Short mmCIF file of all heavy atoms in Angstrom, two decimals:
data_model
loop_
_atom_site.label_atom_id
_atom_site.label_comp_id
_atom_site.label_asym_id
_atom_site.label_seq_id
_atom_site.Cartn_x
_atom_site.Cartn_y
_atom_site.Cartn_z
N MET A 748 -9.61 24.83 -11.59
CA MET A 748 -10.60 25.83 -12.02
C MET A 748 -11.05 25.51 -13.44
O MET A 748 -10.24 25.23 -14.32
CB MET A 748 -9.95 27.23 -11.96
CG MET A 748 -10.88 28.34 -12.41
SD MET A 748 -10.04 29.93 -12.33
CE MET A 748 -10.97 30.84 -13.55
N ALA A 749 -12.34 25.55 -13.64
CA ALA A 749 -12.88 25.25 -14.96
C ALA A 749 -12.46 26.32 -15.95
O ALA A 749 -12.29 27.48 -15.59
CB ALA A 749 -14.39 25.16 -14.90
N SER A 750 -12.32 25.92 -17.19
CA SER A 750 -11.94 26.87 -18.23
C SER A 750 -13.14 27.70 -18.65
O SER A 750 -14.19 27.16 -18.98
CB SER A 750 -11.40 26.11 -19.44
OG SER A 750 -11.27 26.99 -20.53
N PRO A 751 -13.00 29.03 -18.63
CA PRO A 751 -14.09 29.86 -19.12
C PRO A 751 -14.27 29.69 -20.63
O PRO A 751 -13.39 29.16 -21.31
CB PRO A 751 -13.65 31.28 -18.77
CG PRO A 751 -12.21 31.20 -18.48
CD PRO A 751 -11.85 29.78 -18.16
N LEU A 752 -15.38 30.15 -21.10
CA LEU A 752 -15.71 30.03 -22.52
C LEU A 752 -15.46 31.36 -23.22
O LEU A 752 -15.56 32.42 -22.63
CB LEU A 752 -17.18 29.64 -22.70
CG LEU A 752 -17.61 28.33 -22.04
CD1 LEU A 752 -19.12 28.17 -22.16
CD2 LEU A 752 -16.90 27.15 -22.67
N VAL A 753 -15.15 31.27 -24.49
CA VAL A 753 -15.04 32.46 -25.32
C VAL A 753 -15.81 32.17 -26.61
O VAL A 753 -15.83 31.03 -27.08
CB VAL A 753 -13.57 32.82 -25.61
CG1 VAL A 753 -12.87 31.76 -26.43
CG2 VAL A 753 -13.47 34.18 -26.29
N VAL A 754 -16.48 33.19 -27.13
CA VAL A 754 -17.27 32.99 -28.35
C VAL A 754 -16.37 33.25 -29.56
O VAL A 754 -15.78 34.32 -29.70
CB VAL A 754 -18.48 33.94 -28.39
CG1 VAL A 754 -19.24 33.77 -29.71
CG2 VAL A 754 -19.40 33.64 -27.21
N ILE A 755 -16.24 32.23 -30.41
CA ILE A 755 -15.48 32.36 -31.65
C ILE A 755 -16.38 31.89 -32.79
O ILE A 755 -16.83 30.74 -32.78
CB ILE A 755 -14.20 31.48 -31.63
CG1 ILE A 755 -13.36 31.76 -30.38
CG2 ILE A 755 -13.38 31.70 -32.90
CD1 ILE A 755 -12.23 30.76 -30.17
N ASP A 756 -16.61 32.79 -33.73
CA ASP A 756 -17.41 32.40 -34.90
C ASP A 756 -18.73 31.76 -34.46
O ASP A 756 -19.13 30.71 -34.96
CB ASP A 756 -16.61 31.45 -35.79
CG ASP A 756 -17.32 31.21 -37.11
OD1 ASP A 756 -18.08 32.09 -37.56
OD2 ASP A 756 -17.13 30.12 -37.68
N ASP A 757 -19.39 32.40 -33.47
CA ASP A 757 -20.71 31.93 -33.04
C ASP A 757 -20.68 30.62 -32.24
O ASP A 757 -21.70 29.99 -32.05
CB ASP A 757 -21.63 31.74 -34.24
CG ASP A 757 -22.93 32.50 -34.07
OD1 ASP A 757 -22.97 33.36 -33.17
OD2 ASP A 757 -23.88 32.24 -34.81
N LYS A 758 -19.50 30.22 -31.78
CA LYS A 758 -19.40 28.99 -31.00
C LYS A 758 -18.75 29.30 -29.65
O LYS A 758 -17.76 30.02 -29.59
CB LYS A 758 -18.57 27.93 -31.75
CG LYS A 758 -19.16 27.57 -33.09
CD LYS A 758 -18.13 26.88 -33.97
CE LYS A 758 -18.63 26.69 -35.38
NZ LYS A 758 -18.65 27.96 -36.15
N HIS A 759 -19.30 28.74 -28.61
CA HIS A 759 -18.72 28.91 -27.28
C HIS A 759 -17.64 27.85 -27.10
O HIS A 759 -17.91 26.66 -27.08
CB HIS A 759 -19.80 28.76 -26.20
CG HIS A 759 -20.82 29.85 -26.25
ND1 HIS A 759 -20.73 30.97 -25.45
CD2 HIS A 759 -21.92 30.02 -27.03
CE1 HIS A 759 -21.75 31.76 -25.72
NE2 HIS A 759 -22.48 31.22 -26.68
N VAL A 760 -16.39 28.32 -26.99
CA VAL A 760 -15.25 27.41 -26.95
C VAL A 760 -14.52 27.56 -25.61
O VAL A 760 -14.22 28.68 -25.19
CB VAL A 760 -14.26 27.75 -28.09
CG1 VAL A 760 -13.05 26.83 -28.05
CG2 VAL A 760 -14.97 27.67 -29.44
N PRO A 761 -14.23 26.44 -24.92
CA PRO A 761 -13.42 26.55 -23.69
C PRO A 761 -12.03 27.09 -24.03
O PRO A 761 -11.39 26.62 -24.97
CB PRO A 761 -13.33 25.11 -23.19
CG PRO A 761 -14.41 24.36 -23.91
CD PRO A 761 -14.60 25.06 -25.23
N LEU A 762 -11.58 28.07 -23.28
CA LEU A 762 -10.26 28.66 -23.56
C LEU A 762 -9.15 27.62 -23.52
O LEU A 762 -8.14 27.75 -24.22
CB LEU A 762 -9.97 29.77 -22.55
CG LEU A 762 -10.72 31.08 -22.79
CD1 LEU A 762 -10.49 32.04 -21.63
CD2 LEU A 762 -10.28 31.73 -24.10
N ALA A 763 -9.32 26.58 -22.72
CA ALA A 763 -8.28 25.56 -22.60
C ALA A 763 -8.07 24.79 -23.90
O ALA A 763 -7.06 24.12 -24.08
CB ALA A 763 -8.64 24.58 -21.48
N ARG A 764 -9.03 24.87 -24.80
CA ARG A 764 -8.90 24.15 -26.07
C ARG A 764 -8.11 24.95 -27.11
O ARG A 764 -7.77 24.43 -28.17
CB ARG A 764 -10.28 23.81 -26.65
CG ARG A 764 -11.03 22.76 -25.84
CD ARG A 764 -12.07 22.09 -26.71
NE ARG A 764 -11.45 21.42 -27.83
CZ ARG A 764 -12.03 21.27 -29.04
NH1 ARG A 764 -13.21 21.76 -29.27
NH2 ARG A 764 -11.38 20.64 -30.00
N VAL A 765 -7.85 26.22 -26.84
CA VAL A 765 -7.15 27.06 -27.81
C VAL A 765 -5.65 26.78 -27.75
O VAL A 765 -5.04 26.85 -26.68
CB VAL A 765 -7.43 28.55 -27.54
CG1 VAL A 765 -6.61 29.42 -28.48
CG2 VAL A 765 -8.92 28.84 -27.68
N ILE A 766 -5.06 26.42 -28.88
CA ILE A 766 -3.62 26.14 -28.95
C ILE A 766 -2.85 27.42 -29.28
O ILE A 766 -1.86 27.75 -28.65
CB ILE A 766 -3.31 25.08 -30.03
CG1 ILE A 766 -4.15 23.82 -29.80
CG2 ILE A 766 -1.82 24.76 -30.06
CD1 ILE A 766 -3.81 23.04 -28.58
N TRP A 767 -3.29 28.09 -30.34
CA TRP A 767 -2.67 29.36 -30.70
C TRP A 767 -3.65 30.22 -31.49
O TRP A 767 -4.70 29.74 -31.94
CB TRP A 767 -1.36 29.17 -31.47
CG TRP A 767 -1.36 28.25 -32.67
CD1 TRP A 767 -0.84 26.99 -32.71
CD2 TRP A 767 -1.85 28.52 -33.99
NE1 TRP A 767 -1.00 26.47 -33.97
CE2 TRP A 767 -1.61 27.38 -34.78
CE3 TRP A 767 -2.48 29.62 -34.59
CZ2 TRP A 767 -1.97 27.29 -36.13
CZ3 TRP A 767 -2.86 29.54 -35.93
CH2 TRP A 767 -2.59 28.39 -36.68
N VAL A 768 -3.27 31.49 -31.62
CA VAL A 768 -4.10 32.47 -32.32
C VAL A 768 -3.23 33.19 -33.35
O VAL A 768 -2.13 33.63 -33.03
CB VAL A 768 -4.69 33.49 -31.32
CG1 VAL A 768 -5.58 34.49 -32.04
CG2 VAL A 768 -5.48 32.77 -30.23
N ALA A 769 -3.72 33.29 -34.56
CA ALA A 769 -2.92 33.90 -35.63
C ALA A 769 -2.70 35.39 -35.38
O ALA A 769 -3.60 36.11 -34.94
CB ALA A 769 -3.62 33.71 -36.97
N ASP A 770 -1.47 35.84 -35.67
CA ASP A 770 -1.17 37.27 -35.53
C ASP A 770 -1.54 38.02 -36.81
O ASP A 770 -1.90 39.19 -36.76
CB ASP A 770 0.32 37.44 -35.24
CG ASP A 770 0.66 38.86 -34.81
OD1 ASP A 770 -0.06 39.38 -33.92
OD2 ASP A 770 1.59 39.44 -35.35
N LEU A 771 -1.45 37.33 -37.95
CA LEU A 771 -1.74 37.96 -39.23
C LEU A 771 -2.93 37.27 -39.89
O LEU A 771 -3.19 36.09 -39.67
CB LEU A 771 -0.52 37.84 -40.16
CG LEU A 771 0.74 38.57 -39.70
CD1 LEU A 771 1.90 38.23 -40.63
CD2 LEU A 771 0.51 40.07 -39.65
N PRO A 772 -3.67 38.01 -40.72
CA PRO A 772 -4.80 37.39 -41.41
C PRO A 772 -4.32 36.34 -42.42
O PRO A 772 -3.24 36.45 -42.99
CB PRO A 772 -5.49 38.57 -42.10
CG PRO A 772 -4.46 39.64 -42.18
CD PRO A 772 -3.52 39.43 -41.01
N HIS A 773 -5.16 35.36 -42.63
CA HIS A 773 -4.84 34.27 -43.54
C HIS A 773 -4.78 34.77 -44.98
O HIS A 773 -5.61 35.54 -45.43
CB HIS A 773 -5.92 33.19 -43.42
CG HIS A 773 -5.77 32.06 -44.38
ND1 HIS A 773 -4.81 31.10 -44.23
CD2 HIS A 773 -6.45 31.76 -45.51
CE1 HIS A 773 -4.91 30.23 -45.24
NE2 HIS A 773 -5.89 30.60 -46.03
N PHE A 774 -3.75 34.31 -45.69
CA PHE A 774 -3.68 34.56 -47.13
C PHE A 774 -3.00 33.37 -47.79
O PHE A 774 -1.89 33.01 -47.43
CB PHE A 774 -2.87 35.82 -47.45
CG PHE A 774 -2.63 36.00 -48.92
CD1 PHE A 774 -3.64 36.47 -49.74
CD2 PHE A 774 -1.41 35.65 -49.50
CE1 PHE A 774 -3.43 36.60 -51.11
CE2 PHE A 774 -1.21 35.78 -50.86
CZ PHE A 774 -2.22 36.25 -51.67
N CYS A 775 -3.69 32.71 -48.71
CA CYS A 775 -3.07 31.59 -49.41
C CYS A 775 -3.19 31.75 -50.92
O CYS A 775 -2.61 30.98 -51.67
CB CYS A 775 -3.69 30.27 -48.95
SG CYS A 775 -5.41 30.07 -49.44
N GLY A 776 -3.96 32.74 -51.40
CA GLY A 776 -4.06 32.98 -52.83
C GLY A 776 -5.01 32.07 -53.56
O GLY A 776 -5.21 32.22 -54.76
N ASN A 777 -5.58 31.10 -52.87
CA ASN A 777 -6.54 30.19 -53.51
C ASN A 777 -7.86 30.93 -53.73
O ASN A 777 -8.49 31.39 -52.78
CB ASN A 777 -6.76 28.98 -52.60
CG ASN A 777 -7.66 27.93 -53.25
OD1 ASN A 777 -8.43 28.24 -54.16
ND2 ASN A 777 -7.56 26.72 -52.77
N PRO A 778 -8.31 31.06 -55.00
CA PRO A 778 -9.54 31.82 -55.25
C PRO A 778 -10.77 31.20 -54.60
O PRO A 778 -11.78 31.89 -54.40
CB PRO A 778 -9.67 31.81 -56.78
CG PRO A 778 -8.77 30.72 -57.25
CD PRO A 778 -7.69 30.55 -56.23
N GLU A 779 -10.71 29.94 -54.25
CA GLU A 779 -11.86 29.29 -53.61
C GLU A 779 -11.77 29.29 -52.09
O GLU A 779 -12.65 28.77 -51.42
CB GLU A 779 -12.00 27.84 -54.12
CG GLU A 779 -12.38 27.79 -55.60
CD GLU A 779 -12.49 26.36 -56.11
OE1 GLU A 779 -12.45 25.44 -55.28
OE2 GLU A 779 -12.59 26.20 -57.33
N CYS A 780 -10.70 29.87 -51.58
CA CYS A 780 -10.52 29.90 -50.13
C CYS A 780 -11.57 30.80 -49.49
O CYS A 780 -11.78 31.93 -49.92
CB CYS A 780 -9.13 30.40 -49.78
SG CYS A 780 -8.82 30.45 -48.02
N GLU A 781 -12.22 30.30 -48.46
CA GLU A 781 -13.26 31.07 -47.77
C GLU A 781 -12.72 31.72 -46.50
O GLU A 781 -13.48 32.34 -45.76
CB GLU A 781 -14.45 30.16 -47.44
CG GLU A 781 -15.16 29.67 -48.69
CD GLU A 781 -16.31 28.73 -48.37
OE1 GLU A 781 -16.52 28.45 -47.20
OE2 GLU A 781 -16.98 28.29 -49.32
N CYS A 782 -11.46 31.55 -46.23
CA CYS A 782 -10.87 32.07 -44.99
C CYS A 782 -9.98 33.27 -45.24
O CYS A 782 -9.39 33.81 -44.30
CB CYS A 782 -10.05 30.99 -44.30
SG CYS A 782 -10.94 29.45 -44.06
N GLU A 783 -9.87 33.69 -46.49
CA GLU A 783 -8.99 34.79 -46.85
C GLU A 783 -9.29 36.03 -46.00
O GLU A 783 -10.44 36.45 -45.89
CB GLU A 783 -9.19 35.13 -48.32
CG GLU A 783 -7.93 35.61 -49.01
CD GLU A 783 -6.98 34.48 -49.35
OE1 GLU A 783 -7.35 33.56 -50.10
OE2 GLU A 783 -5.86 34.53 -48.84
N GLY A 784 -8.26 36.58 -45.41
CA GLY A 784 -8.44 37.80 -44.62
C GLY A 784 -8.94 37.57 -43.21
O GLY A 784 -9.06 38.51 -42.44
N GLU A 785 -9.24 36.32 -42.86
CA GLU A 785 -9.71 36.02 -41.52
C GLU A 785 -8.54 35.54 -40.65
O GLU A 785 -7.48 35.16 -41.16
CB GLU A 785 -10.78 34.93 -41.58
CG GLU A 785 -11.96 35.31 -42.44
CD GLU A 785 -13.26 35.14 -41.71
OE1 GLU A 785 -13.66 34.00 -41.48
OE2 GLU A 785 -13.86 36.17 -41.35
N TYR A 786 -8.77 35.56 -39.36
CA TYR A 786 -7.73 35.17 -38.40
C TYR A 786 -8.03 33.77 -37.88
O TYR A 786 -9.14 33.49 -37.44
CB TYR A 786 -7.68 36.18 -37.25
CG TYR A 786 -7.14 37.52 -37.68
CD1 TYR A 786 -7.94 38.40 -38.40
CD2 TYR A 786 -5.84 37.89 -37.38
CE1 TYR A 786 -7.45 39.62 -38.81
CE2 TYR A 786 -5.34 39.12 -37.79
CZ TYR A 786 -6.15 39.97 -38.50
OH TYR A 786 -5.65 41.18 -38.91
N GLU A 787 -7.01 32.92 -37.92
CA GLU A 787 -7.20 31.54 -37.50
C GLU A 787 -7.01 31.40 -36.00
O GLU A 787 -6.07 31.94 -35.42
CB GLU A 787 -6.20 30.63 -38.23
CG GLU A 787 -6.37 29.16 -37.90
CD GLU A 787 -5.54 28.26 -38.79
OE1 GLU A 787 -4.68 28.76 -39.53
OE2 GLU A 787 -5.76 27.03 -38.72
N VAL A 788 -7.92 30.66 -35.39
CA VAL A 788 -7.78 30.25 -33.99
C VAL A 788 -7.65 28.74 -34.00
O VAL A 788 -8.58 28.02 -34.36
CB VAL A 788 -8.99 30.68 -33.14
CG1 VAL A 788 -8.81 30.22 -31.70
CG2 VAL A 788 -9.16 32.20 -33.18
N ARG A 789 -6.47 28.26 -33.62
CA ARG A 789 -6.19 26.83 -33.67
C ARG A 789 -6.67 26.16 -32.39
O ARG A 789 -6.37 26.64 -31.29
CB ARG A 789 -4.69 26.60 -33.85
CG ARG A 789 -4.33 25.17 -34.13
CD ARG A 789 -4.83 24.75 -35.50
NE ARG A 789 -4.21 23.49 -35.90
CZ ARG A 789 -4.41 22.93 -37.08
NH1 ARG A 789 -5.20 23.51 -37.96
NH2 ARG A 789 -3.81 21.80 -37.38
N LEU A 790 -7.40 25.07 -32.56
CA LEU A 790 -7.89 24.33 -31.40
C LEU A 790 -7.24 22.95 -31.35
O LEU A 790 -6.58 22.52 -32.31
CB LEU A 790 -9.41 24.15 -31.49
CG LEU A 790 -10.23 25.42 -31.66
CD1 LEU A 790 -11.71 25.07 -31.75
CD2 LEU A 790 -9.99 26.39 -30.51
N GLU A 791 -7.43 22.29 -30.24
CA GLU A 791 -6.97 20.91 -30.11
C GLU A 791 -7.62 20.05 -31.19
O GLU A 791 -8.63 20.43 -31.78
CB GLU A 791 -7.37 20.35 -28.74
CG GLU A 791 -6.60 20.98 -27.59
CD GLU A 791 -7.15 20.53 -26.25
OE1 GLU A 791 -8.22 19.88 -26.24
OE2 GLU A 791 -6.54 20.85 -25.24
N ALA A 792 -7.01 18.90 -31.44
CA ALA A 792 -7.56 17.92 -32.38
C ALA A 792 -7.59 18.43 -33.82
O ALA A 792 -8.49 18.12 -34.60
CB ALA A 792 -8.96 17.47 -31.96
N ASP A 793 -6.56 19.23 -34.18
CA ASP A 793 -6.42 19.72 -35.56
C ASP A 793 -7.63 20.47 -36.07
O ASP A 793 -7.93 20.46 -37.25
CB ASP A 793 -6.12 18.54 -36.51
CG ASP A 793 -4.68 18.08 -36.37
OD1 ASP A 793 -3.89 18.83 -35.76
OD2 ASP A 793 -4.35 17.00 -36.85
N GLU A 794 -8.35 21.11 -35.17
CA GLU A 794 -9.50 21.91 -35.58
C GLU A 794 -9.08 23.38 -35.62
O GLU A 794 -8.22 23.82 -34.85
CB GLU A 794 -10.63 21.78 -34.56
CG GLU A 794 -11.53 20.60 -34.76
CD GLU A 794 -12.69 20.68 -33.78
OE1 GLU A 794 -13.59 21.48 -34.02
OE2 GLU A 794 -12.66 19.95 -32.77
N SER A 795 -9.73 24.13 -36.50
CA SER A 795 -9.51 25.57 -36.55
C SER A 795 -10.84 26.29 -36.66
O SER A 795 -11.77 25.80 -37.29
CB SER A 795 -8.65 25.95 -37.75
OG SER A 795 -7.31 25.59 -37.53
N LEU A 796 -10.89 27.46 -36.04
CA LEU A 796 -12.01 28.37 -36.25
C LEU A 796 -11.44 29.64 -36.86
O LEU A 796 -10.26 29.95 -36.70
CB LEU A 796 -12.71 28.68 -34.92
CG LEU A 796 -13.46 27.52 -34.28
CD1 LEU A 796 -14.00 27.94 -32.92
CD2 LEU A 796 -14.62 27.07 -35.17
N TRP A 797 -12.31 30.38 -37.57
CA TRP A 797 -11.88 31.60 -38.25
C TRP A 797 -12.70 32.77 -37.77
O TRP A 797 -13.92 32.64 -37.61
CB TRP A 797 -12.03 31.42 -39.77
CG TRP A 797 -11.20 30.28 -40.26
CD1 TRP A 797 -11.58 28.97 -40.31
CD2 TRP A 797 -9.84 30.33 -40.73
NE1 TRP A 797 -10.52 28.21 -40.79
CE2 TRP A 797 -9.46 29.02 -41.06
CE3 TRP A 797 -8.93 31.37 -40.90
CZ2 TRP A 797 -8.20 28.72 -41.55
CZ3 TRP A 797 -7.67 31.08 -41.39
CH2 TRP A 797 -7.31 29.75 -41.72
N THR A 798 -12.05 33.87 -37.56
CA THR A 798 -12.77 35.02 -37.02
C THR A 798 -12.18 36.31 -37.55
O THR A 798 -11.12 36.31 -38.20
CB THR A 798 -12.71 34.98 -35.46
OG1 THR A 798 -13.53 36.01 -34.93
CG2 THR A 798 -11.29 35.16 -34.97
N SER A 799 -12.86 37.40 -37.25
CA SER A 799 -12.39 38.73 -37.67
C SER A 799 -11.23 39.18 -36.78
O SER A 799 -10.92 38.54 -35.77
CB SER A 799 -13.54 39.73 -37.54
OG SER A 799 -13.92 39.82 -36.18
N GLN A 800 -10.62 40.30 -37.15
CA GLN A 800 -9.55 40.85 -36.32
C GLN A 800 -10.08 41.17 -34.93
O GLN A 800 -9.43 40.90 -33.93
CB GLN A 800 -8.97 42.10 -36.96
CG GLN A 800 -7.78 42.66 -36.18
CD GLN A 800 -7.17 43.87 -36.87
OE1 GLN A 800 -7.86 44.65 -37.50
NE2 GLN A 800 -5.87 43.99 -36.77
N ARG A 801 -11.28 41.71 -34.87
CA ARG A 801 -11.88 42.05 -33.58
C ARG A 801 -12.12 40.78 -32.76
O ARG A 801 -11.87 40.74 -31.56
CB ARG A 801 -13.18 42.81 -33.82
CG ARG A 801 -13.80 43.35 -32.56
CD ARG A 801 -14.78 44.47 -32.85
NE ARG A 801 -15.59 44.73 -31.67
CZ ARG A 801 -16.76 44.15 -31.45
NH1 ARG A 801 -17.26 43.31 -32.33
NH2 ARG A 801 -17.44 44.42 -30.36
N GLY A 802 -12.63 39.74 -33.43
CA GLY A 802 -12.85 38.47 -32.74
C GLY A 802 -11.55 37.89 -32.22
O GLY A 802 -11.48 37.37 -31.11
N ARG A 803 -10.51 38.00 -33.06
CA ARG A 803 -9.19 37.51 -32.65
C ARG A 803 -8.71 38.25 -31.40
O ARG A 803 -8.22 37.65 -30.44
CB ARG A 803 -8.20 37.72 -33.81
CG ARG A 803 -6.81 37.12 -33.67
CD ARG A 803 -5.85 37.93 -32.82
NE ARG A 803 -5.76 39.34 -33.17
CZ ARG A 803 -4.90 39.86 -34.03
NH1 ARG A 803 -4.05 39.09 -34.66
NH2 ARG A 803 -4.88 41.16 -34.25
N ASP A 804 -8.86 39.58 -31.40
CA ASP A 804 -8.43 40.38 -30.26
C ASP A 804 -9.17 39.97 -28.98
O ASP A 804 -8.59 39.93 -27.89
CB ASP A 804 -8.65 41.86 -30.53
CG ASP A 804 -7.68 42.40 -31.57
OD1 ASP A 804 -6.69 41.70 -31.87
OD2 ASP A 804 -7.92 43.51 -32.08
N GLN A 805 -10.45 39.65 -29.12
CA GLN A 805 -11.24 39.25 -27.96
C GLN A 805 -10.76 37.91 -27.41
O GLN A 805 -10.72 37.70 -26.19
CB GLN A 805 -12.73 39.16 -28.33
CG GLN A 805 -13.34 40.54 -28.55
CD GLN A 805 -14.74 40.49 -29.15
OE1 GLN A 805 -15.19 39.43 -29.59
NE2 GLN A 805 -15.43 41.61 -29.17
N VAL A 806 -10.37 37.01 -28.30
CA VAL A 806 -9.86 35.71 -27.86
C VAL A 806 -8.54 35.90 -27.10
O VAL A 806 -8.33 35.34 -26.02
CB VAL A 806 -9.65 34.75 -29.05
CG1 VAL A 806 -8.98 33.46 -28.58
CG2 VAL A 806 -10.98 34.44 -29.72
N VAL A 807 -7.64 36.71 -27.67
CA VAL A 807 -6.35 36.95 -27.02
C VAL A 807 -6.55 37.60 -25.65
O VAL A 807 -5.93 37.21 -24.65
CB VAL A 807 -5.44 37.84 -27.91
CG1 VAL A 807 -4.20 38.27 -27.15
CG2 VAL A 807 -5.05 37.08 -29.18
N GLN A 808 -7.47 38.58 -25.60
CA GLN A 808 -7.74 39.25 -24.32
C GLN A 808 -8.28 38.27 -23.29
O GLN A 808 -7.87 38.26 -22.12
CB GLN A 808 -8.74 40.39 -24.55
CG GLN A 808 -9.05 41.19 -23.29
CD GLN A 808 -7.82 41.89 -22.76
OE1 GLN A 808 -7.20 42.67 -23.47
NE2 GLN A 808 -7.44 41.61 -21.53
N ALA A 809 -9.19 37.40 -23.73
CA ALA A 809 -9.77 36.40 -22.81
C ALA A 809 -8.70 35.44 -22.30
O ALA A 809 -8.67 35.08 -21.13
CB ALA A 809 -10.88 35.64 -23.52
N LEU A 810 -7.79 35.04 -23.19
CA LEU A 810 -6.71 34.14 -22.78
C LEU A 810 -5.79 34.81 -21.77
O LEU A 810 -5.42 34.21 -20.75
CB LEU A 810 -5.90 33.71 -24.01
CG LEU A 810 -6.52 32.63 -24.90
CD1 LEU A 810 -5.75 32.53 -26.22
CD2 LEU A 810 -6.55 31.28 -24.21
N GLU A 811 -5.43 36.08 -22.04
CA GLU A 811 -4.54 36.79 -21.12
C GLU A 811 -5.18 36.93 -19.75
O GLU A 811 -4.53 36.71 -18.72
CB GLU A 811 -4.19 38.17 -21.70
CG GLU A 811 -3.21 38.08 -22.86
CD GLU A 811 -2.94 39.44 -23.50
OE1 GLU A 811 -3.71 40.39 -23.24
OE2 GLU A 811 -1.97 39.54 -24.26
N THR A 812 -6.45 37.29 -19.73
CA THR A 812 -7.16 37.44 -18.46
C THR A 812 -7.22 36.12 -17.72
O THR A 812 -6.99 36.05 -16.50
CB THR A 812 -8.59 37.96 -18.71
OG1 THR A 812 -8.51 39.20 -19.40
CG2 THR A 812 -9.35 38.14 -17.41
N TRP A 813 -7.47 35.05 -18.45
CA TRP A 813 -7.58 33.72 -17.84
C TRP A 813 -6.24 33.29 -17.23
O TRP A 813 -6.17 32.82 -16.10
CB TRP A 813 -8.06 32.72 -18.89
CG TRP A 813 -8.26 31.34 -18.36
CD1 TRP A 813 -8.89 30.98 -17.20
CD2 TRP A 813 -7.82 30.11 -18.97
NE1 TRP A 813 -8.87 29.61 -17.07
CE2 TRP A 813 -8.23 29.06 -18.13
CE3 TRP A 813 -7.13 29.83 -20.16
CZ2 TRP A 813 -7.96 27.72 -18.44
CZ3 TRP A 813 -6.89 28.50 -20.46
CH2 TRP A 813 -7.29 27.46 -19.61
N TYR A 814 -5.16 33.48 -17.99
CA TYR A 814 -3.85 33.07 -17.48
C TYR A 814 -3.46 33.88 -16.24
O TYR A 814 -2.85 33.36 -15.31
CB TYR A 814 -2.77 33.21 -18.56
CG TYR A 814 -2.76 32.05 -19.53
CD1 TYR A 814 -3.05 32.23 -20.87
CD2 TYR A 814 -2.43 30.76 -19.08
CE1 TYR A 814 -3.04 31.15 -21.76
CE2 TYR A 814 -2.41 29.69 -19.96
CZ TYR A 814 -2.72 29.89 -21.30
OH TYR A 814 -2.71 28.84 -22.16
N GLU A 815 -3.83 35.18 -16.25
CA GLU A 815 -3.50 36.02 -15.10
C GLU A 815 -4.23 35.55 -13.85
O GLU A 815 -3.74 35.72 -12.74
CB GLU A 815 -3.89 37.47 -15.40
CG GLU A 815 -2.89 38.20 -16.29
CD GLU A 815 -3.46 39.52 -16.81
OE1 GLU A 815 -4.51 39.95 -16.30
OE2 GLU A 815 -2.86 40.09 -17.72
N GLN A 816 -5.40 34.99 -14.02
CA GLN A 816 -6.23 34.59 -12.88
C GLN A 816 -5.84 33.23 -12.33
O GLN A 816 -6.29 32.84 -11.26
CB GLN A 816 -7.71 34.57 -13.29
CG GLN A 816 -8.28 35.97 -13.47
CD GLN A 816 -9.66 35.97 -14.09
OE1 GLN A 816 -10.12 34.93 -14.55
NE2 GLN A 816 -10.31 37.10 -14.12
N ARG A 817 -5.02 32.47 -13.05
CA ARG A 817 -4.68 31.13 -12.57
C ARG A 817 -3.55 31.15 -11.56
O ARG A 817 -2.73 32.05 -11.58
CB ARG A 817 -4.30 30.23 -13.76
CG ARG A 817 -5.52 29.86 -14.55
CD ARG A 817 -5.30 28.58 -15.31
NE ARG A 817 -4.35 28.78 -16.41
CZ ARG A 817 -4.02 27.80 -17.27
NH1 ARG A 817 -4.54 26.63 -17.14
NH2 ARG A 817 -3.16 28.04 -18.23
ZN1 ZN B 911 -6.68 29.98 -47.73
#
């Protein structure tokens, strides 16, 4: 079965590419960090996307639904 897509940060990403999803918002203390307070979605090939808490919840929900259907 083909992997459905989920929208993360304005990009349609196949769910199969998602490795993990952050439970807590990013904090590193770097004043130049542009990801502060955002939730990391880790993808294959050392890529990451960043999204809001709501976006993160949608990704987790999509993953759970997908796994249940397999
Ligand atoms: Zn940071």
